[in-house]
Coordinates of all heavy atoms in Angstrom, one line a residue:
M1 N -60.2 -19.7 109.8 CA -60.3 -18.8 108.7 C -59.8 -17.5 109.1 O -60.1 -17.0 110.2 CB -61.7 -18.7 108.2 CG -61.9 -17.7 107.1 SD -63.6 -17.7 106.5 CE -63.3 -18.1 104.8
D2 N -59.0 -16.8 108.3 CA -58.4 -15.5 108.6 C -59.4 -14.5 108.1 O -59.6 -14.2 106.9 CB -57.1 -15.4 107.9 CG -56.4 -14.1 108.2 OD1 -56.9 -13.4 109.2 OD2 -55.4 -13.8 107.6
Y3 N -60.1 -13.8 109.1 CA -61.1 -12.8 108.8 C -60.5 -11.6 108.2 O -61.1 -10.9 107.4 CB -61.9 -12.4 110.0 CG -62.8 -13.6 110.5 CD1 -62.5 -14.3 111.6 CD2 -63.9 -13.9 109.7 CE1 -63.3 -15.3 112.0 CE2 -64.7 -15.0 110.1 CZ -64.4 -15.7 111.2 OH -65.2 -16.7 111.6
G4 N -59.2 -11.3 108.5 CA -58.5 -10.2 107.8 C -58.4 -10.3 106.3 O -58.7 -9.4 105.6
M5 N -58.1 -11.6 105.9 CA -57.9 -11.8 104.5 C -59.3 -11.8 103.8 O -59.5 -11.3 102.7 CB -57.3 -13.2 104.2 CG -55.8 -13.2 104.6 SD -54.9 -12.0 103.6 CE -54.9 -12.7 102.0
L6 N -60.3 -12.3 104.5 CA -61.7 -12.3 104.0 C -62.2 -10.9 103.8 O -62.7 -10.5 102.7 CB -62.6 -13.1 104.9 CG -64.1 -13.2 104.5 CD1 -64.2 -13.9 103.1 CD2 -64.9 -13.8 105.5
L7 N -61.9 -10.1 104.8 CA -62.3 -8.7 104.7 C -61.6 -8.0 103.6 O -62.2 -7.2 102.8 CB -62.1 -8.0 106.0 CG -62.4 -6.5 106.1 CD1 -63.9 -6.3 105.8 CD2 -62.1 -5.9 107.4
F8 N -60.3 -8.3 103.4 CA -59.5 -7.7 102.4 C -60.1 -8.1 101.0 O -60.2 -7.3 100.1 CB -58.0 -8.1 102.5 CG -57.2 -7.6 101.3 CD1 -56.8 -6.3 101.3 CD2 -56.8 -8.5 100.3 CE1 -56.0 -5.8 100.2 CE2 -56.0 -8.0 99.3 CZ -55.6 -6.7 99.2
G9 N -60.4 -9.4 100.9 CA -61.0 -9.8 99.6 C -62.3 -9.2 99.3 O -62.6 -8.8 98.1
V10 N -63.2 -8.9 100.3 CA -64.4 -8.3 100.1 C -64.2 -6.8 99.7 O -64.9 -6.3 98.7 CB -65.3 -8.3 101.4 CG1 -66.5 -7.4 101.2 CG2 -65.7 -9.8 101.6
V11 N -63.3 -6.2 100.3 CA -63.0 -4.8 100.0 C -62.5 -4.7 98.5 O -62.9 -3.8 97.8 CB -61.9 -4.2 101.0 CG1 -61.4 -2.8 100.5 CG2 -62.6 -4.0 102.3
V12 N -61.6 -5.6 98.1 CA -61.1 -5.6 96.8 C -62.2 -5.8 95.8 O -62.3 -5.1 94.7 CB -59.9 -6.6 96.6 CG1 -59.6 -6.8 95.1 CG2 -58.7 -6.2 97.4
L13 N -63.1 -6.8 96.1 CA -64.2 -7.1 95.2 C -65.1 -5.9 95.0 O -65.5 -5.5 93.9 CB -65.0 -8.3 95.7 CG -66.2 -8.7 94.9 CD1 -65.8 -9.1 93.5 CD2 -66.9 -9.8 95.6
V14 N -65.4 -5.2 96.1 CA -66.2 -4.0 96.1 C -65.6 -2.9 95.3 O -66.2 -2.2 94.5 CB -66.6 -3.5 97.5 CG1 -67.2 -2.1 97.5 CG2 -67.5 -4.5 98.2
A15 N -64.3 -2.7 95.4 CA -63.5 -1.7 94.7 C -63.6 -2.0 93.2 O -63.8 -1.1 92.3 CB -62.1 -1.6 95.1
V16 N -63.4 -3.3 92.8 CA -63.4 -3.7 91.4 C -64.8 -3.4 90.8 O -64.9 -2.9 89.7 CB -62.9 -5.1 91.2 CG1 -63.2 -5.6 89.8 CG2 -61.4 -5.3 91.5
V17 N -65.8 -3.9 91.5 CA -67.2 -3.7 91.0 C -67.5 -2.2 90.9 O -68.1 -1.7 89.9 CB -68.2 -4.4 91.9 CG1 -69.6 -4.0 91.6 CG2 -68.0 -5.9 91.8
G18 N -67.0 -1.4 91.9 CA -67.3 0.0 91.9 C -66.6 0.7 90.7 O -67.2 1.5 90.0
L19 N -65.4 0.3 90.4 CA -64.6 0.8 89.2 C -65.3 0.5 87.9 O -65.5 1.3 87.0 CB -63.2 0.4 89.2 CG -62.3 1.0 90.3 CD1 -60.9 0.3 90.2 CD2 -62.2 2.5 90.1
A20 N -65.8 -0.8 87.8 CA -66.5 -1.2 86.6 C -67.8 -0.4 86.4 O -68.1 0.0 85.3 CB -66.7 -2.7 86.6
S21 N -68.5 -0.3 87.5 CA -69.7 0.5 87.5 C -69.5 1.9 87.1 O -70.2 2.5 86.3 CB -70.4 0.4 88.8 OG -71.6 1.1 88.8
S22 N -68.5 2.5 87.7 CA -68.1 3.9 87.4 C -67.8 4.1 85.9 O -68.2 5.0 85.3 CB -67.0 4.3 88.3 OG -66.5 5.6 87.9
S23 N -67.0 3.2 85.4 CA -66.7 3.2 84.0 C -67.9 3.1 83.1 O -68.1 3.9 82.1 CB -65.7 2.1 83.6 OG -65.4 2.1 82.3
T24 N -68.8 2.2 83.4 CA -70.0 2.0 82.7 C -70.9 3.3 82.8 O -71.5 3.7 81.8 CB -70.8 0.8 83.2 OG1 -70.0 -0.3 83.1 CG2 -72.1 0.6 82.4
D25 N -71.0 3.9 83.9 CA -71.8 5.1 84.1 C -71.2 6.2 83.3 O -72.0 7.0 82.7 CB -71.8 5.5 85.6 CG -72.6 4.6 86.5 OD1 -73.4 3.8 85.9 OD2 -72.5 4.7 87.7
R26 N -69.9 6.4 83.2 CA -69.3 7.4 82.4 C -69.6 7.2 80.9 O -69.9 8.1 80.2 CB -67.8 7.5 82.6 CG -67.4 8.1 83.9 CD -65.9 8.4 84.0 NE -65.0 7.3 83.7 CZ -64.6 6.4 84.6 NH1 -64.9 6.6 85.9 NH2 -63.8 5.4 84.2
K27 N -69.5 5.9 80.5 CA -69.8 5.6 79.1 C -71.3 5.9 78.8 O -71.6 6.5 77.7 CB -69.5 4.2 78.8 CG -68.0 3.9 78.7 CD -67.7 2.4 78.4 CE -66.2 2.2 78.5 NZ -65.9 0.7 78.3
L28 N -72.2 5.5 79.7 CA -73.6 5.8 79.4 C -73.9 7.3 79.5 O -74.7 7.8 78.7 CB -74.4 5.1 80.5 CG -74.6 3.6 80.4 CD1 -75.3 3.0 81.6 CD2 -75.2 3.2 79.1
G29 N -73.2 8.0 80.3 CA -73.3 9.5 80.4 C -72.9 10.1 79.0 O -73.6 11.0 78.5
R30 N -71.8 9.6 78.5 CA -71.4 10.2 77.2 C -72.4 9.8 76.1 O -72.7 10.7 75.2 CB -70.0 9.6 76.8 CG -68.8 10.2 77.5 CD -67.5 9.9 76.9 NE -67.2 8.4 76.9 CZ -66.5 7.8 77.8 NH1 -66.0 8.4 78.8 NH2 -66.4 6.5 77.7
V31 N -72.9 8.6 76.1 CA -73.9 8.2 75.1 C -75.1 9.1 75.2 O -75.7 9.5 74.2 CB -74.2 6.7 75.2 CG1 -75.4 6.4 74.4 CG2 -73.0 5.9 74.8
D32 N -75.6 9.3 76.5 CA -76.7 10.2 76.7 C -76.5 11.6 76.2 O -77.4 12.2 75.6 CB -77.1 10.2 78.2 CG -77.7 9.0 78.7 OD1 -78.2 8.2 77.9 OD2 -77.8 8.8 80.0
R33 N -75.3 12.1 76.4 CA -75.1 13.5 75.9 C -75.0 13.5 74.4 O -75.6 14.5 73.8 CB -73.7 14.0 76.5 CG -73.8 14.4 78.0 CD -72.6 15.1 78.5 NE -71.4 14.3 78.4 CZ -70.9 13.4 79.2 NH1 -71.7 13.1 80.3 NH2 -69.8 12.7 79.0
R34 N -74.4 12.5 73.8 CA -74.4 12.5 72.3 C -75.8 12.3 71.8 O -76.1 13.0 70.8 CB -73.5 11.3 71.9 CG -72.0 11.6 72.1 CD -71.2 10.5 71.7 NE -71.1 10.5 70.2 CZ -70.6 9.6 69.4 NH1 -70.1 8.5 70.0 NH2 -70.6 9.7 68.1
L35 N -76.6 11.5 72.4 CA -78.0 11.3 71.9 C -78.8 12.6 72.0 O -79.5 13.0 71.1 CB -78.6 10.2 72.7 CG -80.1 9.9 72.3 CD1 -80.2 9.5 70.8 CD2 -80.6 8.8 73.2
A36 N -78.6 13.3 73.1 CA -79.3 14.6 73.3 C -78.9 15.6 72.3 O -79.7 16.3 71.7 CB -79.0 15.1 74.7
R37 N -77.6 15.6 71.9 CA -77.1 16.5 70.8 C -77.8 16.1 69.5 O -78.2 17.0 68.7 CB -75.6 16.5 70.7 CG -74.9 17.3 71.8 CD -73.4 17.5 71.4 NE -72.7 16.3 71.1 CZ -71.9 15.6 71.9 NH1 -71.9 16.0 73.2 NH2 -71.3 14.6 71.5
V38 N -77.8 14.9 69.2 CA -78.4 14.4 67.9 C -79.9 14.8 67.9 O -80.4 15.2 66.9 CB -78.2 12.9 67.8 CG1 -79.1 12.3 66.6 CG2 -76.8 12.6 67.5
E39 N -80.6 14.6 69.1 CA -82.0 14.9 69.1 C -82.2 16.4 68.9 O -83.2 16.8 68.2 CB -82.6 14.5 70.5 CG -82.8 13.0 70.6 CD -83.3 12.5 71.9 OE1 -83.2 13.3 72.9 OE2 -83.8 11.4 72.0
R40 N -81.4 17.2 69.5 CA -81.5 18.7 69.3 C -81.3 19.1 67.9 O -82.0 19.9 67.3 CB -80.5 19.4 70.2 CG -80.9 19.5 71.7 CD -80.1 20.5 72.4 NE -78.7 20.3 72.4 CZ -78.0 19.4 73.2 NH1 -78.7 18.8 74.2 NH2 -76.7 19.3 73.1
K41 N -80.4 18.4 67.2 CA -80.1 18.7 65.8 C -81.3 18.3 64.9 O -81.7 19.0 64.0 CB -78.8 18.0 65.3 CG -77.6 18.6 65.9 CD -76.3 17.8 65.5 CE -75.1 18.4 66.2 NZ -73.9 17.7 65.8
L42 N -81.8 17.1 65.2 CA -83.0 16.6 64.5 C -84.2 17.5 64.7 O -84.9 17.8 63.7 CB -83.3 15.2 64.8 CG -82.4 14.1 64.3 CD1 -82.7 12.8 64.9 CD2 -82.4 14.1 62.8
D43 N -84.4 18.0 65.9 CA -85.5 18.9 66.2 C -85.3 20.2 65.4 O -86.3 20.8 64.9 CB -85.6 19.2 67.7 CG -86.1 18.1 68.5 OD1 -86.7 17.2 67.9 OD2 -85.9 18.1 69.7
A44 N -84.1 20.7 65.4 CA -83.8 22.0 64.6 C -84.1 21.8 63.1 O -84.6 22.6 62.5 CB -82.3 22.4 64.8
I45 N -83.7 20.6 62.6 CA -83.9 20.3 61.2 C -85.4 20.2 60.9 O -85.9 20.8 59.9 CB -83.2 19.0 60.7 CG1 -81.7 19.2 60.8 CG2 -83.7 18.6 59.4 CD1 -80.9 18.0 60.6
A46 N -86.1 19.5 61.8 CA -87.6 19.4 61.6 C -88.2 20.8 61.7 O -89.1 21.1 60.9 CB -88.1 18.5 62.7
D47 N -87.8 21.6 62.6 CA -88.4 23.0 62.7 C -88.1 23.8 61.5 O -89.0 24.4 60.9 CB -87.8 23.7 63.9 CG -88.4 23.2 65.2 OD1 -89.4 22.5 65.2 OD2 -87.7 23.5 66.3
R48 N -86.9 23.7 61.0 CA -86.5 24.4 59.8 C -87.3 24.0 58.6 O -87.7 24.8 57.7 CB -85.0 24.2 59.5 CG -84.4 24.8 58.3 CD -84.1 26.2 58.5 NE -83.4 26.7 57.3 CZ -83.2 28.0 57.1 NH1 -83.6 28.9 58.0 NH2 -82.6 28.4 56.0
L49 N -87.6 22.7 58.5 CA -88.3 22.2 57.3 C -89.9 22.3 57.5 O -90.6 22.0 56.6 CB -88.0 20.7 57.1 CG -86.5 20.5 56.6 CD1 -86.2 19.0 56.5 CD2 -86.2 21.2 55.3
G50 N -90.3 22.7 58.7 CA -91.7 22.8 59.0 C -92.4 21.4 59.2 O -93.6 21.3 59.0
V51 N -91.6 20.4 59.6 CA -92.1 19.1 59.8 C -92.7 19.0 61.2 O -92.0 19.3 62.2 CB -91.0 18.0 59.6 CG1 -91.6 16.6 59.9 CG2 -90.5 18.1 58.1
S52 N -93.9 18.5 61.4 CA -94.5 18.3 62.7 C -93.9 17.0 63.3 O -94.0 16.0 62.6 CB -96.0 18.2 62.6 OG -96.5 17.9 63.8
T53 N -93.5 17.1 64.5 CA -92.9 15.9 65.1 C -93.8 15.4 66.3 O -93.5 14.5 67.0 CB -91.5 16.2 65.7 OG1 -91.6 17.3 66.6 CG2 -90.5 16.5 64.7
E54 N -95.0 16.0 66.4 CA -95.9 15.5 67.4 C -96.5 14.1 67.1 O -96.9 13.8 66.0 CB -97.1 16.5 67.5 CG -98.1 16.1 68.6 CD -99.2 17.1 68.7 OE1 -99.0 18.3 68.3 OE2 -100.2 16.7 69.2
E55 N -96.4 13.3 68.1 CA -96.9 11.9 67.9 C -98.3 11.8 68.3 O -98.7 12.4 69.3 CB -96.0 11.0 68.7 CG -94.6 11.0 68.2 CD -93.7 10.2 69.1 OE1 -94.2 9.2 69.8 OE2 -92.5 10.5 69.1
P56 N -99.2 11.1 67.6 CA -100.6 11.0 68.0 C -100.9 10.5 69.4 O -101.8 11.0 70.0 CB -101.2 10.0 67.0 CG -100.1 9.7 66.0 CD -98.8 10.3 66.5
E57 N -100.1 9.6 69.9 CA -100.3 9.1 71.3 C -100.1 10.2 72.4 O -100.3 10.0 73.5 CB -99.6 7.9 71.6 CG -98.0 8.0 71.6 CD -97.4 7.8 70.3 OE1 -98.1 7.6 69.3 OE2 -96.2 7.7 70.3
L58 N -99.5 11.3 72.0 CA -99.2 12.4 72.9 C -100.3 13.5 72.9 O -100.1 14.6 73.3 CB -97.9 13.0 72.6 CG -96.7 12.1 72.8 CD1 -95.4 12.8 72.5 CD2 -96.6 11.5 74.2
A59 N -101.5 13.1 72.3 CA -102.6 14.1 72.3 C -103.0 14.5 73.7 O -103.3 15.7 73.9 CB -103.8 13.4 71.6
E60 N -102.9 13.6 74.7 CA -103.3 14.0 76.0 C -102.3 15.1 76.5 O -102.7 16.0 77.2 CB -103.3 12.8 76.9 CG -103.5 13.1 78.4 CD -103.4 11.9 79.3 OE1 -103.0 10.9 78.9 OE2 -103.6 12.1 80.5
V61 N -101.0 14.9 76.2 CA -100.0 15.8 76.7 C -100.3 17.2 76.1 O -100.3 18.2 76.8 CB -98.6 15.4 76.3 CG1 -97.5 16.4 76.6 CG2 -98.3 14.0 77.0
T62 N -100.6 17.3 74.8 CA -100.8 18.6 74.2 C -102.1 19.2 74.7 O -102.2 20.4 74.9 CB -100.9 18.5 72.6 OG1 -101.8 17.5 72.2 CG2 -99.5 18.1 72.1
A63 N -103.1 18.4 75.0 CA -104.4 18.9 75.5 C -104.1 19.5 76.9 O -104.7 20.6 77.2 CB -105.4 17.8 75.6
L64 N -103.3 18.8 77.7 CA -103.0 19.4 79.0 C -102.2 20.7 78.9 O -102.4 21.6 79.7 CB -102.2 18.4 79.9 CG -103.0 17.2 80.4 CD1 -102.0 16.1 80.9 CD2 -103.9 17.6 81.5
L65 N -101.3 20.8 77.9 CA -100.6 22.0 77.7 C -101.5 23.1 77.3 O -101.4 24.3 77.8 CB -99.5 21.8 76.6 CG -98.2 21.1 77.1 CD1 -97.3 20.9 75.9 CD2 -97.5 22.0 78.1
R66 N -102.5 22.9 76.5 CA -103.5 23.9 76.1 C -104.3 24.4 77.2 O -104.7 25.5 77.2 CB -104.4 23.3 75.0 CG -103.7 23.2 73.7 CD -104.7 22.7 72.6 NE -104.0 22.3 71.4 CZ -104.0 21.1 70.9 NH1 -104.8 20.2 71.4 NH2 -103.3 20.8 69.8
Q67 N -104.5 23.5 78.2 CA -105.2 23.9 79.4 C -104.3 24.6 80.5 O -104.8 25.0 81.5 CB -105.8 22.7 80.1 CG -106.8 22.0 79.2 CD -107.2 20.6 79.8 OE1 -107.0 20.3 81.0 NE2 -107.9 19.8 79.0
G68 N -103.0 24.8 80.1 CA -102.1 25.4 81.0 C -101.6 24.5 82.2 O -101.1 25.0 83.2
K69 N -101.8 23.2 82.0 CA -101.4 22.2 83.0 C -100.0 21.6 82.7 O -100.0 20.4 82.3 CB -102.5 21.2 83.2 CG -103.8 21.8 83.7 CD -104.8 20.7 83.8 CE -106.2 21.3 84.3 NZ -107.2 20.3 84.4
K70 N -99.0 22.4 82.8 CA -97.7 21.9 82.3 C -97.1 20.7 83.1 O -96.6 19.8 82.6 CB -96.7 23.1 82.4 CG -95.4 22.8 81.8 CD -94.6 24.1 81.7 CE -93.3 23.9 81.0 NZ -92.5 25.1 81.0
I71 N -97.3 20.8 84.5 CA -96.8 19.7 85.3 C -97.5 18.4 85.0 O -96.9 17.3 84.9 CB -96.9 20.1 86.8 CG1 -95.9 21.2 87.1 CG2 -96.6 18.9 87.7 CD1 -96.1 21.8 88.5
Q72 N -98.8 18.5 84.8 CA -99.6 17.3 84.5 C -99.2 16.8 83.1 O -99.1 15.5 82.9 CB -101.1 17.5 84.5 CG -101.6 17.7 85.9 CD -101.5 19.2 86.4 OE1 -100.9 20.0 85.8 NE2 -102.1 19.5 87.5
A73 N -98.9 17.7 82.2 CA -98.4 17.3 80.9 C -97.1 16.5 80.9 O -96.9 15.5 80.2 CB -98.3 18.5 80.0
I74 N -96.2 17.0 81.8 CA -94.9 16.3 81.9 C -95.1 14.9 82.5 O -94.5 14.0 82.1 CB -94.0 17.2 82.8 CG1 -93.6 18.5 82.1 CG2 -92.7 16.4 83.2 CD1 -92.8 19.5 83.0
K75 N -96.0 14.8 83.5 CA -96.3 13.5 84.1 C -96.9 12.6 83.1 O -96.5 11.4 83.0 CB -97.2 13.7 85.3 CG -96.6 14.3 86.5 CD -97.6 14.4 87.6 CE -97.0 15.1 88.8 NZ -98.0 15.3 89.9
A76 N -97.8 13.1 82.3 CA -98.4 12.3 81.2 C -97.4 11.8 80.2 O -97.4 10.7 79.7 CB -99.6 13.1 80.5
Y77 N -96.5 12.7 79.8 CA -95.4 12.4 78.9 C -94.5 11.3 79.4 O -94.2 10.3 78.7 CB -94.6 13.6 78.6 CG -93.5 13.4 77.5 CD1 -93.8 13.6 76.1 CD2 -92.3 12.9 77.8 CE1 -92.9 13.4 75.1 CE2 -91.4 12.6 76.8 CZ -91.7 12.9 75.5 OH -90.8 12.6 74.5
R78 N -94.2 11.4 80.7 CA -93.4 10.3 81.3 C -94.1 9.0 81.3 O -93.5 8.0 81.1 CB -93.0 10.7 82.8 CG -92.0 11.9 82.8 CD -91.6 12.2 84.2 NE -90.7 11.1 84.6 CZ -90.3 10.9 85.9 NH1 -90.7 11.7 86.8 NH2 -89.5 9.9 86.2
D79 N -95.4 9.0 81.6 CA -96.2 7.8 81.7 C -96.3 7.2 80.3 O -96.2 5.9 80.2 CB -97.7 8.1 82.1 CG -97.7 8.4 83.6 OD1 -96.8 8.1 84.3 OD2 -98.8 9.0 84.0
R80 N -96.4 8.0 79.2 CA -96.6 7.4 77.9 C -95.2 6.9 77.3 O -95.2 6.0 76.5 CB -97.1 8.5 76.9 CG -98.5 9.0 77.3 CD -99.5 7.9 77.0 NE -100.9 8.4 77.3 CZ -101.5 8.3 78.5 NH1 -100.9 7.7 79.5 NH2 -102.7 8.8 78.7
T81 N -94.1 7.6 77.6 CA -92.9 7.3 77.0 C -91.8 6.6 77.8 O -90.9 6.1 77.3 CB -92.2 8.6 76.4 OG1 -91.9 9.5 77.5 CG2 -93.2 9.3 75.5
G82 N -92.0 6.7 79.1 CA -91.0 6.1 80.0 C -89.8 7.0 80.2 O -88.7 6.6 80.7
A83 N -89.9 8.3 79.8 CA -88.8 9.2 79.8 C -88.5 9.6 81.3 O -89.4 9.5 82.1 CB -89.1 10.4 79.0
D84 N -87.3 10.0 81.6 CA -87.0 10.6 82.9 C -87.5 12.0 83.0 O -88.0 12.5 82.0 CB -85.5 10.5 83.2 CG -84.6 11.3 82.3 OD1 -85.1 12.3 81.7 OD2 -83.4 11.0 82.2
L85 N -87.4 12.6 84.2 CA -88.0 13.9 84.4 C -87.4 15.0 83.5 O -88.2 15.7 82.9 CB -87.9 14.3 85.9 CG -88.5 15.6 86.3 CD1 -90.0 15.6 86.0 CD2 -88.2 15.9 87.8
K86 N -86.1 15.0 83.4 CA -85.5 16.1 82.6 C -85.9 15.9 81.1 O -86.2 16.9 80.4 CB -84.0 16.0 82.7 CG -83.3 17.1 81.9 CD -81.8 17.1 82.0 CE -81.1 18.1 81.3 NZ -81.7 18.7 80.1
E87 N -85.8 14.7 80.6 CA -86.2 14.4 79.2 C -87.6 14.8 78.9 O -87.9 15.4 77.9 CB -85.9 12.9 78.9 CG -86.2 12.6 77.4 CD -86.0 11.1 77.2 OE1 -85.5 10.4 78.1 OE2 -86.3 10.7 76.1
A88 N -88.5 14.4 79.9 CA -89.9 14.8 79.7 C -90.2 16.3 79.7 O -90.9 16.8 78.9 CB -90.8 14.1 80.8
R89 N -89.5 16.9 80.7 CA -89.6 18.4 80.7 C -89.2 19.1 79.5 O -89.8 20.0 78.9 CB -88.9 18.9 81.9 CG -89.1 20.4 82.2 CD -88.2 21.0 83.2 NE -86.9 21.1 82.5 CZ -85.7 21.0 83.0 NH1 -85.6 20.8 84.3 NH2 -84.6 21.1 82.3
D90 N -88.0 18.6 79.0 CA -87.5 19.2 77.7 C -88.4 18.9 76.5 O -88.6 19.8 75.7 CB -86.1 18.6 77.4 CG -85.0 19.1 78.4 OD1 -85.3 20.0 79.2 OD2 -84.0 18.5 78.4
A91 N -89.0 17.7 76.5 CA -89.9 17.4 75.4 C -91.1 18.2 75.4 O -91.6 18.7 74.4 CB -90.2 15.9 75.4
V92 N -91.7 18.4 76.6 CA -92.9 19.2 76.8 C -92.6 20.7 76.4 O -93.4 21.4 75.8 CB -93.5 19.1 78.2 CG1 -94.5 20.1 78.5 CG2 -94.0 17.7 78.4
E93 N -91.4 21.2 76.8 CA -91.0 22.5 76.4 C -90.9 22.7 74.9 O -91.3 23.7 74.4 CB -89.6 22.9 77.0 CG -89.6 23.1 78.5 CD -90.3 24.4 78.9 OE1 -90.3 25.4 78.1 OE2 -90.9 24.4 79.9
R94 N -90.5 21.7 74.2 CA -90.4 21.7 72.8 C -91.8 21.7 72.2 O -92.0 22.3 71.1 CB -89.6 20.5 72.2 CG -88.1 20.6 72.4 CD -87.4 19.6 71.6 NE -87.8 18.2 71.9 CZ -87.1 17.5 72.8 NH1 -86.1 17.9 73.5 NH2 -87.5 16.2 73.1
L95 N -92.8 21.2 72.8 CA -94.2 21.1 72.3 C -94.9 22.5 72.5 O -95.8 22.7 71.8 CB -95.0 20.1 73.0 CG -94.6 18.6 72.7 CD1 -95.4 17.7 73.6 CD2 -94.8 18.3 71.3
T96 N -94.4 23.3 73.4 CA -95.0 24.6 73.6 C -94.6 25.6 72.6 O -93.7 25.6 71.9 CB -94.7 25.2 75.0 OG1 -93.3 25.3 75.2 CG2 -95.3 24.3 76.1

């Protein structure tokens, strides 16, 4: 067996998988940015209309915020929603 050809095949396979993954990551990044813009617009509309967007299961988060425990509130939000750190921080900021 020619190890040079095998190594070349592995390198090509890794490159192809890397390109596909990179393309998917870029698409997901665009979708995330578009979703964030839509969420900001909906938040602005809700604020303008005076609609409360607080969800009942986030009562612990708001209670922690009232106690001045912002970091714990972010952790609780992440636990309840599965959000990443930035999303949770932004959401907690909107609640204040």
Side-chain angles (χ1 to χ4, degrees):
M1 174 179 243
D2 184 10
Y3 289 110
M5 288 301 290
L6 179 62
L7 180 60
F8 177 73
V10 169
V11 169
V12 169
L13 180 62
V14 168
V16 168
V17 169
L19 288 175
S21 175
S22 172
S23 173
T24 302
D25 289 346
R26 283 193 307 271
K27 287 178 184 176
L28 287 175
R30 283 193 303 262
V31 169
D32 285 344
R33 287 189 301 276
R34 290 181 72 191
L35 180 58
R37 283 194 308 265
V38 169
E39 287 177 341
R40 283 192 303 273
K41 290 176 184 179
L42 286 173
D43 288 341
I45 291 168
D47 287 344
R48 176 83 173 166
L49 295 175
V51 176
S52 174
T53 58
E54 183 179 336
E55 299 173 23
E57 65 268 10
L58 298 179
E60 177 187 2
V61 174
T62 54
L64 287 166
L65 281 174
R66 287 186 192 118
Q67 297 171 13
K69 298 178 179 180
K70 189 173 185 179
I71 293 173
Q72 290 86 348
I74 293 170
K75 287 179 182 178
Y77 186 92
R78 290 186 73 192
D79 290 342
R80 299 288 182 268
T81 64
D84 65 22
L85 181 59
K86 182 182 181 331
E87 183 181 353
R89 189 193 72 212
D90 293 344
V92 168
E93 285 292 326
R94 286 191 301 266
L95 292 173
T96 58

